[in-house]
Amino acid sequence: MATKTPITVAYGDGIGPEIMEATLNVLEAANAQLDIEVIEIGEKVYLSGNSAGIAHESWESLLKTKVFLKAPITTPQGGGYKSLNVTTRKTLGLYANIRPCLSYHPFIKTKHPVMDLVIVRENEEDLYAGIEHRQTKDVYQCLKLISRPGSEKIIRYAFEYAVTNNRRKVTCLIKDNIMKLTDGIFHKVFHEIGEDYPDIEKVSMIVDIGAARLATTPEDFDVIVMENLYGDILSDVAAQMTGSVGLAGSANIGEQCAMFEAIHGSAPQIAGKYIANPSGLIKASVLMLNHIGQFEVATKIENALLKLIEDGIHTPDIFNEEVSRLKVGTRQFTEELIDRLGEKPGSLRAVNYTHVPKKLAKVNYIQRETIDEKKELAGVDIFLDWNSGTANDLGNELKKLNTAKLSLLMISNRGVKVYPDGLPQTFCTDHWRCRFKKVNDVSISNSDIIELLSNVNNAGLEFIKTEHLYDFNGEPGYSLAQGE
Ligand code: NAD
């Protein structure tokens, strides 16, 4: 008897318990060797007063088994509840989210018969850091954080995934025409790391045209690497294009732990009806079996699922009069799948897993040598909550507060320069960025910024935040205002 691999399981909310029951029945019938610990997460835990949605003891199980099969959960709206999915991914260091999307033409109706791509989504950074502030009556802010090590990890992972899985091309989608620093570093790292993979075709595109092409010619894509937000949105789009969001599973991989889940949510509208498609979670369990080395069971389950799809036995989300034969609920779908364990599809390509996860599970992350950069303070952006006149009024007031070393260069409102030489047509809110730069070549320190802030404070102006302006080897580490 093979030794059992300990895993942690959560049934989740909404359709979660229905599709988890289906998945565990399939795993058992396929003779997966698993030692299952069940934890409670999600809505009930949130509503019991735990704002993280997960109890302390549950972390112990996760840190012990290091493998988590998770059904979707519902994050209650409002009330300051943090997304448990984001918390789990970040706490366990699950930096890579792998989302394969494949069409099953002609057995599942789709406008895209040739589609076989894998989205590799960065899982820890970007706007999902969830650092948000309301700074004035009118203006709310969310910080987008992209790091060089975070970008290196996910981009190397994407290339390693391509090599290990015989994929030919990696496409990077970014928006660095606008976000020159954050998306700019992601793009730069893509070029740097891509050089280590001469046999893989490398393409980068602005995310808007990339998304448009994905939606019209998905056959041109293979592996796609993206930051967190673009990856989240476009993986739902890609899954839905294959026929249903209910078809896609995903792996969240870190250096020590891994979590496997369907890409969709808890679908509260259909919860309790036993009509949900369990394929996404079943496919996530196949990714998990590969991760823990149970290749034979993984192969058996996926081939039975392919055969079932071919036989036209479909849940309502993928049922179509033209191609389907029998409309079934979750339980019958599961029974029919179990009946097919050991069978292979006739037309769809059967799988035969033997080795996939070695590199999939762990990519040794080697930070590129960072050049010894010279970081020099060049000025400060002072953000004001101010509502007492025009941009020119504010500029004239601030000029009087210049110090010997720092002088007002410009003011912008929501990123557009409004002083000096602003246009009266520009709409202004109560949130002003006032850029002070050092005068000539003097060197400045935090004390000079404190002196300036003290002038601003003494003038009765309300500063709500400051951002230091640094040059790195003489290159500005900050963006210019639109029109600056
Ligand atoms: P959703 O993915 O739950 O549902 C979107 C649409 O797809 C709905 O029409 C739903 O009925 C359908 N659908 C989803 N899964 C299906 C399946 N397996 N079979 C058939 N149809 C399916 O997205 P939503 O409605 O935006 O979110 C509902 C809840 O899920 C929210 O509380 C959200 O926070 C949560 N959520 C959780 C996760 C997760 O746990 N990983 C991910 C996304 C959303």
Side-chain angles (χ1 to χ4, degrees), residues 199-218:
D199 297 334
I200 303 274
E201 190 187 343
K202 293 161 276 284
V203 178
S204 45
M205 275 183 228
I206 298 297
V207 64
D208 18 5
I209 187 63
R213 294 210 177 125
L214 175 68
T216 47
T217 51

Side-chain angles (χ1 to χ4, degrees), residues 15 70 72-75 85 245-246 261 263-270 276-277 317:
I15 58 169
K70 180 186 143 295
I73 56 153
T74 304
T75 310
N85 296 314
V245 75
E261 56 183 347
I263 74 155
H264 58 76
S266 56
Q269 314 89 330
I270 57 168
N277 187 344
D317 57 316

